[in-house]
Amino acid sequence: MSKNTSTSNDSFQGNLVSGDPSVSVPPSPTEGDDDFGGSSSLRVGIVVHRAEAGFATRVNTIPKFLEINRRFLSQVTYTLPTEPKDRSLIDQKAQISSDTMIGGSTQVSERTTIKKSVIGRHCVIGKMAKIVGCVLLDHCVVEDGAKLEGCVLGKNTKIGSKAELSRCVTQAGYEVEAGETFKGEKLDVSDWTAAVGDEEDEEEPGDSESEEGSDA
């Protein structure tokens, strides 16, 4: 820029003063609000992300979380772990596609297929399981013969043997029983706790009637 432009922040009046008359400066929204006293807690921050540094995106929903993970997968190539300990956890008969990411200390058993997925750390994948287009957070367990497609599993999720899930999301700690099948569902831990609460509520009227009968 050929012109020298200087700016200063007037902390008392809240006005932005520019030395260049050609620069249009909007009035401060806090002008005249003397009660705030120019508190630092009212500052507005702006983050500028340079294009050459990569890309930036907002992830505030489950679909966007899954989308950004898939985008990263398109930029990586999976190779077997170099650490002997981690390498020993991946069975030689397991089929893992190159567009997959697997965290440290994760076990993958024989004849298991994993494609286009992100597997967290300390997970246990059983024999003959099939995982396609999924994101598994840390400490998940997928037992023998289970099938997952397009799912997001929260931490400590357990999928029973031969269970099948398609386009599902599980809350952390959820357990899918062996042989269960779900499609396009959000599996919440509070589902079963709410059911227990409903049963207790249903028992209360009967209990009160029996109490009244005993008083009579």
Side-chain angles (χ1 to χ4, degrees):
M1 295 178 63
S2 58
K3 295 182 180 180
N4 295 325
T5 303
S6 62
T7 59
S8 62
N9 184 12
D10 189 336
S11 60
F12 296 98
Q13 298 297 330
N15 296 325
L16 185 65
V17 181
S18 174
D20 188 346
S22 64
V23 177
S24 177
V25 180
S28 171
T30 60
E31 184 175 358
D33 295 342
D34 297 333
D35 293 340
F36 295 107
S39 173
S40 59
S41 63
L42 299 176
R43 293 177 181 174
V44 177
I46 299 177
V47 178
V48 178
H49 186 86
R50 294 187 177 183
E52 60 267 22
F55 69 94
T57 184
R58 182 180 183 185
V59 179
N60 59 345
T61 63
I62 294 297
K64 282 201 172 286
F65 176 73
L66 188 58
E67 177 186 346
I68 195 62
N69 275 275
R70 288 174 175 171
R71 181 164 182 173
F72 284 135
L73 289 178
S74 65
Q75 303 174 4
V76 301
T77 300
Y78 175 76
T79 57
L80 292 173
T82 56
E83 293 291 333
K85 181 180 179 181
D86 290 338
R87 177 65 185 87
S88 64
L89 296 175
I90 308 297
D91 192 273
Q92 295 181 355
K93 294 182 180 179
Q95 298 180 1
I96 303 174
S97 66
S98 59
D99 51 357
T100 290
M101 297 175 64
I102 297 182
S105 302
T106 285
Q107 177 182 346
V108 180
S109 301
E110 61 178 316
R111 300 173 67 184
T112 281
T113 301
I114 303 177
K115 297 180 179 179
K116 300 180 179 180
S117 299
V118 178
I119 311 297
R121 298 172 298 176
H122 304 285
C123 293
V124 178
I125 313 299
K127 300 177 182 179
M128 301 180 66
K130 185 175 182 180
I131 302 173
V132 179
C134 299
V135 177
L136 280 62
L137 300 187
D138 299 343
H139 301 282
C140 287
V141 176
V142 179
E143 295 185 347
D144 299 349
K147 295 181 180 180
L148 305 175
E149 182 178 356
C151 297
V152 178
L153 305 187
K155 289 184 178 180
N156 298 298
T157 293
K158 182 180 179 181
I159 308 298
S161 61
K162 296 184 179 181
E164 297 186 15
L165 275 68
S166 176
R167 294 181 286 105
C168 292
V169 178
T170 68
Q171 188 182 27
Y174 192 89
E175 295 188 12
V176 176
E177 298 295 333
E180 286 189 322
T181 300
F182 295 97
K183 185 176 181 180
E185 296 189 33
K186 181 180 178 182
L187 306 177
D188 196 333
V189 174
S190 61
D191 291 345
W192 64 266
T193 58
V196 173
D198 294 341
E199 292 177 358
E200 293 178 352
D201 293 340
E202 292 175 358
E203 292 176 358
E204 288 180 359
D207 295 341
S208 61
E209 291 177 0
S210 60
E211 290 177 359
E212 291 176 359
S214 60
D215 293 339

